[in-house]
Amino acid sequence: MTKFNLINWNKADVYSAEGSSAIKKAIEIKLNDKFDKAREAHLNYFTMRSDFPTDGYPELEKITRNSLPDLGWQLAFGIRDYTSSNGAGGEAGFDVAVAGSGLTVAAVADGMKAKVFEAQGDSIRVPFVRYAGGLLYLNNLVEDGRWWDLEDTVNEATYAFNNAVAQSHYALMDAMGAGINVAWQDQGDTTLENAPASDAATINTAINEIIVAAGGWQGIGVNTQFAVIAPIELASRLQSAINYTQNGVKLVGYEVLFAKTTFLTSSSVYYVVPVQEAGRTGIRKGMELKFDEEILADATTMLVQGRWGSALLGESVIRRCATA
């Protein structure tokens, strides 16, 4: 899509209703996740940067750039793509196994049968939920060439969508009960290094508990990659703890990734999870952007929407850690 531009200015007039409509269609196509053949054909209508008016290009170019949403939740949730699903319950929701099927592999005496476990074990049904919001803007943003305002309008919609995705996942983590709590492992060091040493010990404790509780589910073990997901207020502190060493030895004894977010409700606790094994997210519809003309107001309503469902897989695969 390197040759994509919002409009072929030889074919449409920005000050006409037709030209304004073409710009909106271009934005809609660019920001939607999936392209059908009709949209692909429509994209061929657009041309290269040289056709773009110099006064509008710098601002409108920004619309085509991907924003950098909060993706830290993806360290906890494995993602399943149901956007092209055409059956098997994919329309309304999806089934996901709760952590731990109980499967074990053991020696079997000659002539005896291996113990058989249910393939999925306990499962839960996760519904797809529609998230949507609308934003009204006056058509003179386009007609008057107010590219900077148009950029802000489009970005506001995409940021709101990305924030809704992130917030819905972090809310699931915050909703977990006290059974996942891990107390701060105070090392009693009277020096200034007590905080990172104690935080490192707390992370180790959380990971140890997850490994034991998971019982080998999804291969979770000592060589599994884990993640710390924390509020921004704890970012520097916990990054120091993850990398903290004493006498040349790193105190956190596992491979640990780190993500910070503004969407956790408490600034004094954080979460430890096996990477992409604590939860599952099913995407039925990615971000979709639509426009609708409000004739009497000479305005346009921009709708941004999507459908997804998420679930955490049980207390055994997530820990909430204290910092004091």
Side-chain angles (χ1 to χ4, degrees), residues 28 31-32 130-137 153-154 157-158 161 285-294 300-306:
E28 176 185 359
L31 293 181
N32 283 341
R130 178 175 177 260
Y131 294 79
L135 189 66
L136 185 74
Y137 66 89
T153 301
V154 174
T158 56
F161 179 85
K285 178 186 289 186
M287 188 182 74
E288 182 179 53
L289 199 65
K290 293 183 177 181
F291 293 91
D292 186 50
E293 294 291 334
E294 302 284 346
T300 298
T301 297
M302 182 167 53
L303 171 71
V304 59
Q305 64 178 352

Side-chain angles (χ1 to χ4, degrees), residues 11 22 77 86 105 116 122 124 127 139 148 188 205 258 261 265 274 300 304-305:
K11 300 180 180 178
F77 292 82
N86 194 25
V105 177
V116 177
D122 294 334
I124 54 176
N139 288 334
W148 51 93
T205 298
F258 180 80
T261 180
T265 56
T300 298
V304 59
Q305 64 178 352

Side-chain angles (χ1 to χ4, degrees), residues 25 73 127 129-130 154-155 164 176 179 195 202 208 226 231 247 280 295 297 313-314:
K25 183 64 176 177
W73 60 269
V129 179
R130 178 175 177 260
V154 174
N155 284 342
M176 295 293 286
T202 305
N208 291 341
F226 289 85
N247 300 320
R280 294 289 182 269
I295 298 176
L313 304 182

Side-chain angles (χ1 to χ4, degrees), residues 194-212:
N194 186 53
S198 299
D199 289 337
T202 305
I203 293 170
N204 281 334
T205 298
I207 293 175
N208 291 341
E209 288 187 6
I210 290 173
I211 291 172
V212 172

